[in-house]
Amino acid sequence: MLTDKGKISETQLAFMIFPAILATAILSVPGITMHYAGHDMWLSPIIGSLIGFAAVAISIGLDRLYPGKTLIQSSVSIAGRISGKLIGLVYIIFLPHLTGLIIRTYGEFIVNNALPRTPLFVVMGTMVAVCALNVRLGIEVVGRTSQIFVTLLIVLLSLIFILLIGELTPAELFPFMENGPLPSIKGALAPAAWFSEYIVIAFLLPYVNRRKRTTRVMLGSLILTTTAMTVINLFCLFLIGDLTDSFVYPVMIAARYITIADFLQHIESLIIAVWIFGIFVKISVFLYIFATSTAEWFGLKDYKPVVVPLSFLCMVYAYWVVSGGSGTSSLIGPSANLYTISILLILPAMIYGVAWLKKGWAHFRKNQANT
């Protein structure tokens, strides 16, 4: 039984997922991919999107085998009560860790680039409070706010790209594959970790009211996200070149190149606006999944009573995930990416594999009984 009676459309689900992947990737991925792939950094998101395709396929496959059930619920049906509950516990432990990291990333970015004198707790706490209110109002409200904010996000990003066209240096694209395809594949690990977050579809698909075009809409969302990530990498490469991996937030540096007649300058605020719109949706989506998954795991009928305490727990994790003054940038490494892919892709893939084996075994026994 679902803990929220609300329903959303396929389009609203796509609007929720787009910033859930891109919001944090837009700032971190260009520097990471440049470090490993060099001038071929634009290829890394395309390669990494294969992980996103696998996550979409697994999510839709689980929904077809166990319609109307989230990943937490289908795990119990597939692996049995004890094993299924243990799988669910893995996600209940992982989700506040991931959500806390997202909140901390938001807080550090705003403090470093917009509000240096504002305490980090105030910056993070106000965003979490607004997101918690959004989540308590139900998935329908989360879906509608996502439509509004993602539309603004796309418009602002497009405006930034248009204003930057005159500053581009396409020659930075060369030499092409100077060291072969391996650097691009290494650089794809970071985008792949973000694309693995497409597994959120497995948690949200039961709330979609009509599913006639689910596969096409989700693949369209994946293609749009891949295109956006690739274009962002290209713009950073064409503007900053080899220095891209020298900056924590290369996109912010790229925005500073915008100058029109010495009048339109210093529009980094647009990047901050894009970040806030995207991160609001991302935190809301993951907090909603965390709250509903926890309610399902404990057998509650309604998820709303747990939203506030779980929001506070995510705030605690936001401080716990970063020790000392290293910042969240030190956490986005190969081991962290593998950890994320293991939980968000490999574990669901194993669950899906077991489900197929159970279905095949049941079909085999049915055929034997008929003969």
Side-chain angles (χ1 to χ4, degrees):
M1 183 181 69
L2 298 177
T3 56
D4 187 0
K5 304 302 181 184
K7 293 291 182 180
I8 57 174
S9 66
E10 295 166 328
T11 305
Q12 286 176 322
L13 177 59
F15 272 104
M16 290 168 66
I17 293 171
F18 178 71
I21 311 303
L22 197 64
T24 44
I26 189 177
L27 297 178
S28 302
V29 165
I32 298 171
T33 50
M34 167 56 81
H35 178 73
Y36 291 101
H39 289 252
D40 297 325
M41 59 185 286
W42 63 277
L43 289 172
S44 295
I46 299 173
I47 298 170
S49 67
L50 296 175
I51 296 295
F53 178 81
V56 171
I58 291 168
S59 300
I60 294 175
L62 283 171
D63 181 71
R64 287 177 178 173
L65 290 175
Y66 296 90
K69 291 187 176 183
T70 66
L71 183 59
I72 300 295
Q73 295 170 330
S74 60
S75 297
V76 175
S77 301
I78 294 167
R81 181 169 180 79
I82 296 176
S83 299
K85 286 290 185 180
L86 288 175
I87 292 170
L89 183 61
V90 170
Y91 285 101
I92 290 174
I93 294 172
F94 174 78
L95 283 169
H97 187 187
L98 179 59
T99 309
L101 179 60
I102 296 166
I103 295 167
R104 182 59 179 256
T105 304
Y106 161 77
E108 288 185 359
F109 177 77
I110 295 298
V111 168
N112 292 333
N113 294 279
L115 302 171
R117 295 184 180 181
T118 305
L120 183 63
F121 176 81
V122 175
V123 174
M124 296 192 301
T126 49
M127 175 59 80
V128 171
V130 174
C131 291
L133 176 61
N134 191 37
V135 169
R136 271 190 62 88
L137 292 173
I139 194 168
E140 292 181 357
V141 175
V142 176
R144 287 167 186 164
T145 53
S146 299
Q147 280 184 297
I148 296 170
F149 286 130
V150 172
T151 302
L152 292 172
L153 186 153
I154 293 172
V155 170
L156 290 176
L157 267 182
S158 301
L159 176 61
I160 292 168
F161 290 154
I162 292 169
L163 293 174
L164 283 172
I165 288 175
E167 304 291 336
L168 301 182
T169 309
E172 291 288 348
L173 198 63
F174 302 101
F176 177 67
M177 283 199 179
E178 183 181 17
N179 300 310
L182 189 58
S184 298
I185 295 171
K186 288 181 179 179
L189 181 60
W194 267 278
F195 279 115
S196 68
E197 292 177 359
Y198 262 93
I199 203 67
V200 299
I201 296 171
F203 293 91
L204 299 174
L205 206 51
Y207 298 100
V208 176
N209 50 15
R210 297 175 185 173
R211 305 180 198 175
K212 293 181 180 179
R213 301 180 299 116
T214 301
T215 303
R216 279 186 294 171
V217 172
M218 293 303 102
L219 289 178
S221 172
L222 176 61
I223 292 169
L224 181 61
T225 305
T226 305
T227 302
M229 207 178 289
T230 303
V231 170
I232 290 166
N233 272 19
L234 281 171
F235 269 72
C236 288
L237 175 64
F238 291 167
L239 287 166
I240 311 173
D242 294 327
L243 296 177
T244 301
D245 61 342
S246 303
F247 302 103
V248 179
Y249 306 117
V251 176
M252 283 292 290
I253 305 301
R256 290 172 185 164
Y257 278 79
I258 298 175
T259 302
I260 298 179
D262 293 326
F263 172 72
L264 187 61
Q265 295 178 337
H266 305 294
I267 62 168
E268 298 92 322
S269 56
L270 283 179
I271 295 293
I272 296 173
V274 168
W275 173 260
I276 291 174
F277 291 144
I279 209 71
F280 171 78
V281 176
K282 180 158 190 166
I283 294 174
S284 295
V285 168
F286 280 96
L287 183 58
Y288 180 84
I289 291 172
F290 182 31
T292 53
S293 297
T294 302
E296 289 165 6
W297 196 83
F298 283 103
L300 304 178
K301 294 182 179 180
D302 189 6
Y303 76 97
K304 293 179 181 179
V306 303
V307 172
V308 173
L310 292 182
S311 299
F312 178 77
L313 179 62
C314 290
M315 279 289 292
V316 173
Y317 267 79
Y319 281 94
W320 176 76
V321 292
V322 178
S323 57
S326 57
T328 54
S329 58
S330 63
L331 298 177
I332 308 174
S335 58
N337 293 330
L338 289 173
Y339 163 63
T340 302
I341 292 171
S342 298
I343 301 295
L344 295 182
L345 184 76
I346 296 176
L347 183 56
M350 293 171 64
I351 296 169
Y352 187 47
V354 173
W356 264 105
L357 288 174
K358 285 186 68 175
K359 181 181 178 181
W361 177 249
H363 185 69
F364 175 74
R365 292 188 64 179
K366 183 179 179 180
N367 288 340
Q368 276 196 328
N370 291 336
T371 55

